[in-house]
Amino acid sequence: MKIIYFSDQYTFDNYGTKRSIFEEVRDRGYDIVWIDKSKMPTILSLIKIHKPDQIWFAHSNLKIKAKFKNKIKIPIVGFGFSDPYYFSPERFKSYDAYITNHDKTFDMYSKNIPMYYNKTACDFKYHKNLLLEKDIDISLIGCGIHPRFKNGSERIGIAKDINKNLNFNLQVYGKNWFKAAHTHGQITGDEFLNVINRSKIGLDIQDIFSPLAHRMFEYSACAVPVITRDRSEVFKVFEKDKEILTYTDINDLKEKLNYYLNAPAELNKIGLNANKRCKKEHDISFRVDGILNFLKDIKRL
C-alpha cells in the first residue's frame, strides 16, 4: 500500500504522534510519503505524481473542499490528534474514515463514518529511562496559557500555588509562562528527554474534558510517575494509584504531591509499573497495528 501522509513537524524533535506513526509505518516497509500540509492546495497533482492507494490527513482539523474531494477516487483518512479540541462533525465530509484519539468522540460519532479509537502512545525509539539523577522534584512541560481550557490560565494558577505552598522544586517548561526562576522556555530533543528523566514526578495539568495527553505516556515510558486530572479515559490505559496518580482539585493535588514526594519508594514503584505497562501495551507499534488493521478494507465513500 502506498500512502500520501499530509502533516507538519509540530513536536517532531520530541517524537510526537505524527512522526511516530509515520516512521513506524515506513519501517514496516510501506511506501509512505510525508508531505507538508501547506501543499494541500496541490493535492490533485500530488496524487498524479505519487499514485497512492490512500491519503492520510495526519493533522487535527485538516479538511478538503468538496470540489477537490469529488475528484479523488481513493480513500481519504482523517486523524483527530486533539479531539475534542477543534472538533466538528462537519469535518467528516472530507474523509472516508476517521481516526480519533478521544474515547467520547468515538462513542458519539462512530456510527457516522468508519472510525477507529487510537489512544495516545509513547515511542520507545526515543522515550527511555536514562537512569539520571533526580534533581527536579516536579516538572511540568507545556504551554502556560492553554487556549482550549475553560480557564486558560489554570496551569499558571496551579504552578504559583504549588510553589507558594509546597516545599518542593517545581520546574515548568514551555511558552506563555510568567517570569520566575523556576520557569523556562520551550524544550525539545535531548533536553526534553533529560528533563523528564531528571524528574521525580511529572505534573500533567488538564481540563476535566481533556483527552489523554502525550505527557502521560512520555513520562511513564521513562519510568517517571505522572499525576494527572482524574477522568475516566485515564483508567482505560493505566491502573489508578498503581501505574498513575490522579487529582480532583488543587487541594487534592497538593496533598498527593506532598505525600508521594515524601514516599520515594512508593513513587518509584508507580513509575516502574507505568513503564512496564507502556512496554506491554502503549508503544506506538501497538497503535499502528490497530490503525493498519482498521484501514486495510476501507473503501472510497
Side-chain angles (χ1 to χ4, degrees), residues 82-130:
S82 301
D83 293 337
Y85 308 142
Y86 306 124
F87 182 82
S88 167
E90 282 292 308
R91 71 171 64 176
F92 294 152
K93 295 178 181 178
S94 293
Y95 318 132
D96 299 293
Y98 188 68
I99 297 173
T100 181
N101 68 308
H102 184 232
D103 61 345
K104 291 182 175 58
T105 298
F106 178 83
D107 293 341
M108 291 178 65
Y109 297 104
S110 58
K111 293 181 180 179
N112 295 45
I113 188 173
M115 187 179 294
Y116 180 71
Y117 172 39
N118 180 53
K119 297 181 286 292
T120 311
C122 59
D123 190 334
F124 280 104
K125 294 193 300 292
Y126 171 70
H127 303 113
K128 54 180 67 71
N129 185 357
L130 299 177

Side-chain angles (χ1 to χ4, degrees), residues 32-281:
I32 183 168
V33 181
W34 181 300
I35 296 177
D36 191 89
K37 66 184 182 68
S38 64
K39 303 293 184 182
M40 277 282 294
T42 64
I43 188 170
L44 295 180
S45 62
L46 289 167
I47 290 171
K48 289 182 180 180
I49 293 169
H50 295 286
K51 298 178 173 59
D53 300 296
Q54 291 185 0
I55 299 169
W56 293 9
F57 287 177
H59 185 276
S60 291
N61 206 30
L62 193 58
K63 296 175 289 189
I64 188 171
K65 293 181 179 180
K67 65 179 181 180
F68 290 119
K69 187 174 189 295
N70 293 337
K71 296 179 180 180
I72 296 172
K73 307 304 179 184
I74 56 176
I76 297 175
V77 181
F79 284 76
F81 294 121
S82 301
D83 293 337
Y85 308 142
Y86 306 124
F87 182 82
S88 167
E90 282 292 308
R91 71 171 64 176
F92 294 152
K93 295 178 181 178
S94 293
Y95 318 132
D96 299 293
Y98 188 68
I99 297 173
T100 181
N101 68 308
H102 184 232
D103 61 345
K104 291 182 175 58
T105 298
F106 178 83
D107 293 341
M108 291 178 65
Y109 297 104
S110 58
K111 293 181 180 179
N112 295 45
I113 188 173
M115 187 179 294
Y116 180 71
Y117 172 39
N118 180 53
K119 297 181 286 292
T120 311
C122 59
D123 190 334
F124 280 104
K125 294 193 300 292
Y126 171 70
H127 303 113
K128 54 180 67 71
N129 185 357
L130 299 177
L131 302 174
L132 300 180
E133 179 186 355
K134 304 292 187 180
D135 60 346
I136 300 173
D137 292 326
I138 312 162
S139 64
L140 194 170
I141 304 174
C143 56
I145 297 174
H146 199 299
R148 297 178 296 278
F149 281 13
K150 291 178 182 177
N151 174 8
S153 59
E154 180 179 14
R155 286 177 173 170
I156 290 177
I158 290 175
K160 287 183 175 180
D161 197 328
I162 289 172
N163 274 303
K164 181 179 179 181
N165 295 296
L166 292 184
N167 293 319
F168 293 106
N169 168 25
L170 166 65
Q171 300 293 318
V172 298
Y173 303 84
K175 297 179 179 179
N176 300 321
W177 287 97
F178 53 94
K179 291 184 178 180
H182 63 280
T183 61
H184 313 275
Q186 195 168 12
I187 53 174
T188 61
D190 290 343
E191 185 180 9
F192 177 90
L193 192 61
N194 287 342
V195 165
I196 290 177
N197 274 271
R198 289 165 53 204
S199 305
K200 296 176 183 176
I201 189 168
L203 175 55
D204 177 39
I205 299 176
Q206 301 296 333
D207 212 328
I208 192 65
F209 61 88
S210 296
L212 301 179
H214 214 226
R215 296 289 178 268
M216 283 174 45
F217 298 89
E218 292 168 332
Y219 278 86
S220 296
C222 298
V224 176
V226 177
I227 185 164
T228 189
R229 178 76 71 117
D230 191 296
R231 54 205 196 281
S232 61
E233 192 175 16
V234 172
F235 308 121
K236 292 183 178 181
V237 293
F238 292 114
E239 188 172 354
K240 187 174 184 177
D241 296 333
K242 292 185 178 180
E243 298 169 335
I244 194 136
L245 299 172
T246 58
Y247 68 90
T248 55
D249 56 35
I250 182 61
N251 291 326
D252 186 39
L253 173 60
K254 288 187 292 184
E255 286 178 10
K256 287 180 176 175
L257 287 171
N258 188 61
Y259 172 81
Y260 281 102
L261 287 167
N262 281 301
E266 287 187 54
L267 201 55
N268 183 62
K269 186 175 182 180
I270 292 168
L272 292 174
N273 288 342
N275 173 266
K276 290 178 183 177
R277 184 69 177 268
C278 284
K279 288 180 177 177
K280 183 180 179 181
E281 296 181 18

